[in-house]
Amino acid sequence: MPGTETKHKVRDVNVRMLRGGSGPPLLFLHGANGLPVWLPVFELLAKQFEVIVPEHPGFGTSDNPAWLRNIGDLAMYYLDFLDEFGPHEIHVVGQSLGGWAAAEAAVRNCSRIKTLSLLGPAGIRIKGMLSGDNFIWSPEEAVRNLYHNQDIPDQILAMQPTDEQADILLNNRFATAKFGWEPRWYNPSLERWLHRISVPTLIMWGKEDKLFPSAYAARWGERIAGSRVEIVPECGHVPAVEKPEITAKEIICLYAGTR
Amino acid sequence: MQFTFFHLMPYRPLDMAERHKHPTSWVMLPNKLYDPKKGADEYQSYIDQLVYAEKLGFDVIAVNEHHQTAYGIMPAPNLIAATLIARTTKAKIAIIGRALPLVNNPLNIAEEFAMLDNLSRGRLITGFVRGIGAEYHSTGINPSFSHERYQEAHDLIVQAWTKPGPTSFEGEHFNVRYVNIWPRPYQTPHPQIWIPSMGSSETVKWAAAPERKYPFLVTFSGRELVARYLNVYRDQAKQYGYEASPDQVGWASPVYVADTDERARKEAREGIESLFNDFLAIPFQMLLPPGYMSLPSMKNTMRMRKALGAQRRLTMEELMENGTVVVGSPKTVRDQLAKLRDETRAGKLVTMLQFGTLSDELTKRNMETFASEVMPHLR
C-alpha cells in the first residue's frame, strides 16, 4: 500500500510529506536527491511503524525559508518538528544528508528520539579520506556513483524527467549546495559532540559507497557509545534503495532491542 | 569611442592532444602540462603586447583574473598591473576584474587597488566580477552565497575607499571592526568600477542605479545579446530618471583584422576556435554550480540547453555569424563595429586582439592594423 502525500506545517513552514503504515512513529530524513517515491523499504518498515517522510525545507516543492542557511538550521527545524509532532518518542532514520541533519539534531537534544539509524551519513571528515565530489560529477556519474548495482542507475537514467521534475531536481541541488559545498559535506565541530547521542544507534554503510568511504562507519561507531555498525556488502551509498530488506531488518531489530 | 586592449593571457603551448584527454582546461587539467620555461616566455610576450598597445594609441590596457586554468594564467592580475604601471606613462590600466566573492577578506582588494591607484597616479580602472562558475570549484567558495558575497564585498570596498576611517562594516559574510585603509585611493572619490558581465538583468539594474552608474560591458556575446543588454541598461537608466552616457556602456569582443577578409579568416581561425573549444569549454556542472545563477535564471538556462541538445565544437564561421567575434578586412571590421556602436550608442570597445593560440607575430600585425586602419575611423 503506497504512502499518502500530505502537507505538514511546523511554525510558518509548509513541507510536503509522505506517510503510511501504523505503529510507533518513524521519521525518515531523505538525502540530497530529495523526497523519494514511496520506496520498498518504506513498505517494509510500514509493517511495524507509522512511516513519516517529510521533504526538507528548501527541497522540491516544500517552502524555502530565508533563514535556512546551514545544516544547523535544518537540525533545529527538525527539533521543532519533533516537539510539535506530539508526545511520542520517535524513531529517526537519516540517509546521507538526512543522516547528517539527524545527527546534528541528536547532539543538541535526544529527548524526543527513541532510536537513531544513520545510513551513510554526511557530517564528519577523516583527513586523508576524501569524500567523492558529487558537485563536479557529470549528471550521469552523479547517478551511477551512488549505486553498486548498475541496474538501478540504468533505470533512473532511462527516464526523461518532465520540466516539473527537472525543476525539483534543480531545487534539490541548490538546497544541497547550501549545506554541503563548503566545508565539503561536514561540520568541523560535529564529531567532537557525537558522544552526546545517548539513544540506541545504528550506523549502516554500503561497503562500496563512492561518495563517503565506508571506513567512515568505524569512526562514527567509536564516537557514539553502544552504537552498532553494520557494513552492507555489494551496496553503494544508498542502502535504503539498494538493500531494502537488510535496511528494514536492521532498523526493526534496533527497535526490538528497546522494547 | 574609448579603446581598450584586453588580455586574457592564455597558455598557448598547451599540448592539445593531452588537453582533450580531459573534459576541460579548468579546475582539474593536470598542471604537469604547464612548462615554466614556456610559461615565462608567455608572460614576457603578453606584457610586451600590453605595453605596445599604449604606443599604438589604445586608451586603456586591461587584464583580468582567472584561477587554475590554461585559459588565462593570471590568478593575480594586480601583479601584472604593477609591471604595466612601471612600463607605461599615459594609458589607463584596467583590471576587469577581480572576483569579489572568491576572497575571504575583500579589504585586501580595496588595499591593493588603492596601492595601484597611487603607484599609477590615478591611472587605475577597476572591475568587479563574481568569477566564473568553475572558480567556485577551484576555490571551494560556496556558490550558494555568490551574489550575497559580491554585494557585501562591493559595499565594503567602496566604504573603505570613500568613508573617512576608521569605520566598521557589519555583513553576513564579512565583518570588519576597523575599516581604515592606508593608502587611500589616488582618485576621488575612487577609481572607476567597470562591470563586465555575460549579461543578467539583475546585474544591469544594479550597475545602472544612479548612486553607481557603473560602466557595463557585455562580454563573449553575439551582437543581438550585446544590443539587448546595453539597451536594457539604457532603459533602466531612463527609469531611474537619467540618460546613460556612451561612457557607461560597451562590449568586449575578439577582433582580427588583416588586409583582406580571406586572409583575416585564414589567420584567425586557429586562435578563435582554440579560444572557444580548447580553452573556454567547460562542462555544465562546472560552469554553473548551484546558486551561481538565481534559480529562475538557471531554470530558463536548463530549458534552453535541453532544446539545444549536445554541445559540439564551435566554428569560427558560427561565431562570426552571430557577431561574437569580428574577423575581416579593415572595412569589414570597421563596418561591423560601427554598426553595433551606432545601434547601442556604446562608448567603450574592449578588444581582444590576442586570443587562444594566436602567435606573437600575428598578434602584433593584428594590433598594428587595428590601430591604424580601424581605431581612427571609429573614434
Side-chain angles (χ1 to χ4, degrees), chain A residues 69 133 135-139 141 160-164 167 170-171 173-174 177-182 184, chain B residues 27-28 136-137 140-145 148 172-173 285-286 289-291 293-295 298-299 302-303 306:
Chain A
R69 294 176 69 86
D133 186 357
F135 291 111
I136 214 163
W137 288 342
S138 70
E141 286 169 330
Q160 267 295 329
T162 61
D163 281 350
E164 194 188 336
D167 284 353
L170 201 59
N171 286 352
R173 195 167 164 76
F174 270 55
K178 261 195 221 172
F179 303 122
W181 188 282
E182 202 276 315
R184 190 58 53 90
Chain B
V27 188
M28 293 189 301
Y136 290 78
H137 288 281
I141 296 292
N142 194 333
S144 309
F145 304 116
E148 288 179 14
E172 283 290 320
H173 299 276
Q285 64 276 8
M286 279 194 211
M293 263 186 185
S294 71
L295 198 51
M298 189 78 168
K299 284 176 181 168
M302 299 286 278
R303 303 248 156 95
K306 200 172 156 189

Side-chain angles (χ1 to χ4, degrees), chain B residues 65-133:
Chain B
E65 168 185 347
H66 284 298
H67 296 273
Q68 305 200 141
T69 173
Y71 171 79
I73 49 176
M74 231 181 331
N78 291 356
L79 301 181
I80 305 293
T83 304
L84 297 178
I85 288 167
R87 289 185 54 186
T88 56
T89 55
K90 55 181 195 299
K92 295 264 189 191
I93 314 283
I95 296 143
I96 45 175
R98 291 290 321 266
L100 307 191
L102 302 184
V103 299
N104 284 318
N105 183 5
L107 219 45
N108 293 152
I109 292 178
E111 291 172 330
E112 288 178 21
F113 278 159
M115 278 180 72
L116 292 170
D117 202 30
N118 280 263
L119 291 171
S120 66
R121 294 183 186 273
R123 286 194 284 139
L124 186 71
I125 292 168
T126 72
F128 289 3
V129 297
R130 288 195 296 120
I132 207 163

Side-chain angles (χ1 to χ4, degrees), chain B residues 298-349:
Chain B
M298 189 78 168
K299 284 176 181 168
N300 284 334
T301 307
M302 299 286 278
R303 303 248 156 95
M304 276 179 350
R305 278 177 59 86
K306 200 172 156 189
L308 282 174
Q311 275 186 316
R312 46 183 185 79
R313 266 186 99 82
L314 291 163
T315 64
M316 184 176 72
E317 279 70 19
E318 290 169 286
L319 293 158
M320 286 169 63
E321 177 71 29
N322 68 24
T324 305
V325 303
V326 179
V327 176
S329 68
K331 181 174 183 327
T332 302
V333 170
R334 279 198 300 264
D335 289 352
Q336 283 186 28
L337 295 175
K339 187 160 180 282
L340 192 50
R341 177 198 59 184
D342 296 342
E343 264 174 48
T344 60
R345 284 169 291 151
K348 289 189 188 317
L349 177 65

